[in-house]
Amino acid sequence: MKISTKGRYGLTIMMELAAKFGEGPISLKSIAERNQLSEHYLEQLVAPLRNAGLVKSIRGAYGGYILSKEPETITAGDIIRILEGPISPVDFTEEDDPAKRDLWLRIRDAIAEVLDSTTLADLVTFQDAGKIDNYMFYI
């Protein structure tokens, strides 16, 4: 399964809103500028997120978008399913070998589990624990 720019940029929008949660609306223009993305494209992506009830739009001079729920309650899976559709690595048929069908289902379930167990709060507060400090030693 490959997540397209729709899913990636949608996560970017939602992470930006989560990072500023409780501070008021954020304009798509500022998100686009900060991430060097097309504002027009972000407008197309935010519409299904709004229709699904994940974001609210605020009108006016200081308007923009806010999350409709706390970042801890919105998962990456929620966002990806809205923008990408159902999670399925392969379109399998009933004619597929049962062993292959089982493999595809296990892959689908593993991907769904990761997406559904990762919240916006997790993404915003992520610390790269595997990051190795680059020390230079001289002898």
Side-chain angles (χ1 to χ4, degrees):
M1 175 181 170
K2 188 170 184 177
I3 295 178
S4 71
T5 56
K6 286 172 68 171
R8 294 191 351 250
Y9 293 177
L11 271 176
T12 299
I13 294 168
M14 296 298 282
M15 287 174 66
E16 290 276 348
L17 296 178
K20 303 288 187 189
F21 185 71
E23 297 179 19
I26 301 168
S27 71
L28 287 182
K29 182 177 184 173
S30 67
I31 294 173
E33 287 173 355
R34 197 168 19 262
N35 294 280
Q36 291 143 8
L37 302 172
S38 161
E39 181 182 357
H40 179 68
Y41 190 46
L42 296 186
E43 288 170 357
Q44 294 174 15
L45 298 180
V46 81
L49 296 170
R50 187 183 65 243
N51 292 340
L54 294 185
V55 298
K56 292 179 186 175
S57 60
I58 308 294
R59 296 184 180 270
Y62 299 102
Y65 291 89
I66 59 171
L67 293 180
S68 61
K69 304 185 233 177
E70 294 190 1
E72 295 83 6
T73 64
I74 301 172
T75 68
D78 297 333
I79 299 159
I80 296 300
R81 283 184 187 91
I82 290 166
L83 295 174
E84 300 279 354
I87 296 166
S88 180
V90 174
D91 291 331
F92 59 88
T93 65
E94 294 304 318
E95 291 123 29
D96 276 345
D97 181 276
K100 287 193 296 185
R101 189 170 49 244
D102 179 65
L103 174 65
W104 308 143
L105 291 172
R106 288 187 296 133
I107 291 170
R108 180 202 63 197
D109 294 346
I111 292 169
E113 200 282 317
V114 169
L115 291 173
D116 292 338
S117 66
T118 305
T119 67
L120 281 177
D122 297 332
L123 293 171
V124 171
T125 61
F126 177 76
Q127 298 284 324
D128 193 356
K131 185 175 161 187
I132 299 171
D133 291 328
N134 292 326
Y135 291 109
M136 176 107 20
F137 294 98
Y138 295 98
I139 300 177

